[in-house]
Structure formats: structure tokens, C-alpha cells
Amino acid sequence: MSSCVFCKIIEGTIPSHTVFENEDVIAFKDIHPAHEIHYLFAPKKHIESLAEFKANQTDVIAQIFSAIFTVTKKEGLDQKGYRTMINTGEGGGQEVFHLHVHVMSGKRV
Ligand code: AMP
């Protein structure tokens, strides 16, 4: 079993508040939200970070952003506005080494 916390969420061995899931991508609430809305979108395939990203994995980025477009549209965030962020590596503030995109909206909390 993987020691990666997001892989455990994907496997269902640790709980999460999932807001979206399909064959390729999962999105769940950040456990320490920085804004009223703070979701994390991650590929189900374990990729450590953008720095580990391979040229033949561009489909993963399309899948993640397709999920982001679906969820933000469904929740009206496309009208309200939202911020996306990807931290890469220790110098980029990455804490969980499973590629993910932060989606944040609303007041800081
Ligand atoms: P990053 O700094 O980009 O690696 O962000 C990792 C994010 O994952 C942080 O904002 C954490 O609050 C969040 N996080 C860590 N563990 C969990 C968890 N079990 N469920 C939800 N979010 C988590």
C-alpha cells in the first residue's frame, strides 16, 4: 500500500470530503482551507509533482482541468471567480508529493 496521503484518499483508506470523482481525477476539500472554498484536484495516477511530469502525460493535465471546469461551473465559481495554484517541490511550498491543483474562492479563513 502506498504511503502517499492522497493515494490513501483515492484508495478510500483515509476519509475525505470528495466533491468530484471520475476514472482519472478526484477532487476533495482541503483539510486546512485557506479560503471559504478550497478544493484540491489530483490525478488518480501517482505523479509526484510537475517536476516529475513526463511529456507523454499531458492527458493528465487536460483531465484535471476538465474536472476543474466541471466543478467550478456547477458551483457558479466560473461567474464568481476563483484562484488556481500548483506548488512544485520544497522550494515551491509543496507539502504533499502527489500532483494537485488548489482551487480557492471566497474570503480567506
Ligand atoms: P501543497 O502545499 O500544495 O502540497 O498542499 C497540500 C495541501 O494538502 C495542504 O493545503 C493541506 O492542507 C492539504 N492536505 C493534507 N492532507 C490532507 C488530507 N488528508 N485531506 C485533505 N487535504 C489535505
Side-chain angles (χ1 to χ4, degrees):
M1 190 190 285
S2 170
S3 62
C4 166
V5 65
F6 288 179
C7 285
K8 287 183 176 163
I9 286 174
I10 291 159
E11 289 161 2
T13 53
I14 67 168
S16 72
H17 188 130
T18 303
V19 295
F20 175 91
E21 185 167 13
N22 67 15
E23 205 183 323
D24 307 302
V25 177
I26 189 166
F28 49 89
K29 291 187 177 180
D30 194 296
I31 203 165
H32 299 302
H35 289 262
E36 284 170 325
I37 291 172
H38 189 165
Y39 301 150
L40 303 173
F41 287 73
K44 289 193 171 174
K45 192 185 297 181
H46 182 86
I47 298 171
E48 288 209 351
S49 75
L50 270 192
E52 300 300 320
F53 193 76
K54 308 280 187 302
N56 65 359
Q57 291 175 323
T58 51
D59 57 328
V60 172
I61 294 294
Q63 289 156 357
I64 293 171
F65 276 88
S66 173
I68 290 173
F69 299 147
T70 299
V71 172
T72 52
K73 222 176 179 65
K74 185 165 166 264
E75 301 197 5
L77 299 180
D78 55 335
Q79 300 299 316
K80 193 173 161 197
Y82 58 95
R83 182 155 68 103
T84 51
M85 179 176 79
I86 303 175
N87 295 327
T88 303
E90 278 177 29
Q94 186 174 4
E95 290 172 4
V96 176
F97 283 80
H98 181 125
L99 177 65
H100 55 280
V101 181
H102 295 252
V103 172
M104 294 163 279
S105 185
K107 286 194 196 119
R108 282 188 176 273
V109 292

